[in-house]
Amino acid sequence: MATTQQRTIYTGTFIHCTDLSKTEILTNTSIGVDEHGKIAFITPVDTLSGTLKSHSWDPAEIRHFPPAPNSSKNISFFFPGFLDTHIHASQHPNAGIFGKSTLLSWLETYTFPLEYSLSDPRTAEAAYSTCIHTTLAHGTTTAAYYATISVESTDILARLCRELGQRAFVGRCAMDNADFQPSYYCDADADTAIKASRESAESILAADPTGLVKPIITPRFALSCTEESLKGLASIAADLKIPIQTHISENLDEVALVARTFPGYSSYAHLYHNCGLLGPNTVLAHACHLSQEEVSLIHTTGSSISHCPASNTSLGSGLCPVRELLDQGVKVGLGTDVSGGYSPSILVAAREAGAVSRLRTAPGVETGIHSLSGKSLITTIATTTDNESSATTSEKQARDKLKLTVEETLYLATRGGAQCLGLEACVGGFEVGKEWDAQFIDLGAEIDAGYVLGGGSVGNVQVWKGMEWEERLAKWVYQGDERNVKAVWVRGRMVVDKVAVRA
Amino acid sequence: MATTQQRTIYTGTFIHCTDLSKTEILTNTSIGVDEHGKIAFITPVDTLSGTLKSHSWDPAEIRHFPPAPNSSKNISFFFPGFLDTHIHASQHPNAGIFGKSTLLSWLETYTFPLEYSLSDPRTAEAAYSTCIHTTLAHGTTTAAYYATISVESTDILARLCRELGQRAFVGRCAMDNADFQPSYYCDADADTAIKASRESAESILAADPTGLVKPIITPRFALSCTEESLKGLASIAADLKIPIQTHISENLDEVALVARTFPGYSSYAHLYHNCGLLGPNTVLAHACHLSQEEVSLIHTTGSSISHCPASNTSLGSGLCPVRELLDQGVKVGLGTDVSGGYSPSILVAAREAGAVSRLRTAPGVETGIHSLSGKSLITTIATTTDNESSATTSEKQARDKLKLTVEETLYLATRGGAQCLGLEACVGGFEVGKEWDAQFIDLGAEIDAGYVLGGGSVGNVQVWKGMEWEERLAKWVYQGDERNVKAVWVRGRMVVDKVAVRA
């Protein structure tokens, strides 16, 4: 029941990550997007007219992007829209503000007071609309949002997503454990948490028959909830056939407290599993300190991990072992985790994912998946602080393997995120039948001898003459920002248009 | 012998870091900068006319910035210009491109070929002018540059700094050890390295009697040189009374190779010391893996450290123990280390310095200063991968102490850098007698309920109504970029003017 739109032909260079290690670059290509916002065909420009005929598309009724043949010398390409698999829309105003706090003190000092203030609809409207405008401008076409405890405020977030055209999962935070939340910001009891969460989910479901904006069941995290509410929330998800999101193993103090608070379970993941929360539509954020048993359980149940590198760094939480998760077949996407993370940009998350993966190989850093008994890392990279380098070749290869390439982080930012959110058949890449969630990226003109700054650059990206696509993508990831995002579409609808502004 | 300029009154809010832990915020203040680009007085706006009289400044002959009283509601302030204590101008085109390499492979694959290409003056002109324009636009008023092995190309860099008005130290890379460099990019022998370096230094000295752009003796790093050239280079620095810059203990493989190549010395720092290279005007970049003995030697000799967090992360080099260096009284500044570092922005370096300092507190990370015998870290933060948090309160305090606050990273970016480069009496803060090296920062309008994106924001900074200066500075460091830099001055000369462009 998507809105009917004008059929559109997009022409230029298309880049997407076909799998973790493979990036496809289609130059001189046209993609036809039909009246439902779906990709109808992908064809070389040369054979476009034949393709139109075979699809019975009338050239006179078709819109084109760019509107006229692109004569610009700028390096530009279409890229799948980013998926942010973990973002607290309600914390958007605080992005970048965290002092010296770690998770639990950060919640108390910065986060709960801000979220509570969003019970006021006017405040919620300002924070949420700014968040959505901002993330769309940065190329995020799909976001898995945490709202607040307030059903009304959560409804506002869902409405704004619909109005502004962002694909979203919107979750009302369930949190009924008074031991770990301030009394002013806590569900009265499990029953209240469950009822309010159901009410919120049903309201969001009813409001959008197109399914672009969906509810997501959101037990804030284990310590926020009681076993009763965790189980009740799992039932709602099963009943309404909607996904689940929560946090897992972000910080060691949190992990220790979970173990003490729920002594009946062998691990954090097993607690969730026993409450019925794990499954193919469950996204678990952070996962910095998982045991092998938990990773296996997450993999078996088909749950996925939202890797939030900027947040984990800012709060000193830990270094998520992304490579090992991927090697074991766990689905991994990227999350900004605003405002544990300071940036609303998934491009920054990709950059930081690369950084964290490289720091994991630095001397003095030993991270990985540990055994359930605790002490030993199963994946240990030998390191040394000796003046003699004792690393063997195989150790070095093991270290290099931990590093995520630019292309791999872009995969996580698109197709990886789509897998996490159950959207892999729908978005994340350019294939016939997928919906047109895309961004148009402009890296500016190439720099050559005689170049003067400002003469054709877009934002901070500086692509030098002779650079290959691999290097151009590296420039985008490491120097790019929202200025390079010239247009954004969700399900065929243009939701950001900076080209028009410029023209 | 500075050029005479029009006396200027700057009025508004001034922020600077008076010491590591103290940031001073002067509102409704005027600063008078004299005809030599020096701060003549700092006064509350209310008492400006009296101050002008007492200084015998004729109001009719004074220029004002902003030209008319500032009626904008934007949050803006003057801040000392940034000092980049370690940047390879010659690697600027490669920023963001490093693949999976680590230091030694990165040099071979990416760096030497690029630097060699700058032997062509036209290529050098393009790379260097872009680098200077870019760093100035990001608020870098002083840069300690590495050029290339080419004397002619190094002269081009120095000339462009003079023309574009950036305070700079420009160093011709000395590198005569054929074992660690490609034959196409290596000094023929020690004598050649020493003579070319002297020629370059004398040429740069002679070209700028104002002393804004100075030479800096630059043995690339220990492995690039022979003992003979290291000693000869130290003599030039002493003879010409100019500073020295080089690298130290960036990566463990490098440290091990240095130990094997120069077996006669007890450490990397002792090698430099014995060759006469350490002293109060020596800047050592990286310092990720120093022993306590080396730190003591660096402190005793008055040498300083350029901390390059983005580079150390990107190349997986290590996590520099900045807090311990500061605690021991070692001077520390920030470096972008383009292109080991991906960003030419010292604001990004400040952000990344905060990130690295926080990651040092994450579980699985044990970094610090080690004993010379190697194995044990002198500063060890207890960590655990257990499900029980075993960290005691004192351990947690020790961890918290490692974290650099926003204000501390801004101190390193300004006054800390000035100390490293022997400029502490000249720039880095706002005091009478210092030169006017400053940037005018615009954080845009405050966001309140009813805000629409684009309505007053500058770049990605979003300051919300009611935020204090501490939070505004955090927003600047974590969300800011060169768009927030509206004007830049060096020694009183306006070298970047985006205000005029906008008006």
Side-chain angles (χ1 to χ4, degrees), chain A residues 87-318:
Chain A
I87 172 169
H88 295 263
S90 50
Q91 296 168 17
H92 180 81
N94 267 356
I97 296 172
F98 45 82
K100 284 192 172 188
S101 63
T102 51
L103 176 61
L104 302 179
S105 63
W106 169 82
L107 283 169
E108 198 180 311
T109 311
Y110 298 100
T111 304
F112 291 142
L114 172 63
E115 290 193 16
Y116 176 67
S117 76
L118 268 59
S119 307
D120 170 43
R122 242 185 119 231
T123 308
E125 184 104 15
Y128 289 148
S129 66
T130 308
C131 177
I132 299 165
H133 274 297
T134 303
T135 53
L136 279 174
H138 285 265
T140 298
T141 49
T142 300
Y145 282 127
Y146 286 59
T148 71
I149 200 171
S150 155
V151 174
E152 183 187 4
S153 160
T154 303
D155 257 347
I156 292 172
L157 174 57
R159 170 175 58 75
L160 288 167
C161 289
R162 292 193 303 272
E163 289 175 4
L164 300 173
Q166 188 172 49
R167 193 184 296 272
F169 297 87
V170 176
R172 180 251 169 206
C173 292
M175 38 203 290
D176 65 316
N177 188 338
D179 292 346
F180 295 105
Q181 275 121 199
S183 56
Y184 68 83
Y185 193 60
C186 187
D187 283 314
D189 51 32
D191 199 46
T192 307
I194 295 163
K195 277 192 182 146
S197 292
R198 178 181 278 274
E199 184 195 340
S200 175
E202 289 177 340
S203 167
I204 294 168
L205 269 180
D208 186 10
T210 76
L212 193 73
V213 178
K214 287 182 183 159
I216 184 165
I217 292 299
T218 307
R220 188 178 191 108
F221 72 123
L223 293 178
S224 300
C225 295
T226 57
E227 282 188 52
E228 192 185 345
S229 67
L230 291 174
K231 288 174 181 164
L233 291 163
S235 298
I236 304 173
D239 193 24
L240 301 180
K241 296 185 178 52
I242 58 176
I244 294 169
Q245 64 183 353
T246 188
H247 301 75
I248 197 166
S249 286
E250 178 173 357
N251 158 304
L252 282 188
D253 285 346
E254 167 215 6
V255 171
L257 267 174
V258 169
R260 278 208 287 280
T261 308
F262 301 97
Y265 301 100
S266 61
S267 79
Y268 206 151
H270 286 85
L271 164 68
Y272 283 154
H273 185 51
N274 282 285
C275 292
L277 288 164
L278 297 191
N281 295 311
T282 298
V283 184
L284 303 165
H286 302 302
C288 295
H289 308 288
L290 292 179
S291 65
Q292 179 54 50
E293 290 81 348
E294 291 174 288
V295 174
S296 300
L297 180 60
I298 287 165
H299 178 247
T300 310
T301 57
S303 308
S304 62
I305 301 298
S306 173
H307 174 42
C308 305
S311 168
N312 297 337
T313 297
S314 296
L315 300 181
S317 303

Side-chain angles (χ1 to χ4, degrees), chain B residues 248-304:
Chain B
I248 196 167
S249 285
E250 178 172 358
N251 158 304
L252 282 189
D253 286 347
E254 167 215 7
V255 172
L257 268 174
V258 168
R260 278 207 287 279
T261 309
F262 302 96
Y265 300 100
S266 61
S267 78
Y268 204 151
H270 286 85
L271 163 67
Y272 283 154
H273 184 51
N274 282 285
C275 292
L277 289 163
L278 298 191
N281 295 311
T282 298
V283 185
L284 304 164
H286 303 302
C288 295
H289 308 288
L290 291 179
S291 64
Q292 179 54 50
E293 289 81 348
E294 290 174 288
V295 174
S296 300
L297 181 60
I298 287 165
H299 177 246
T300 309
T301 57
S303 308
S304 62

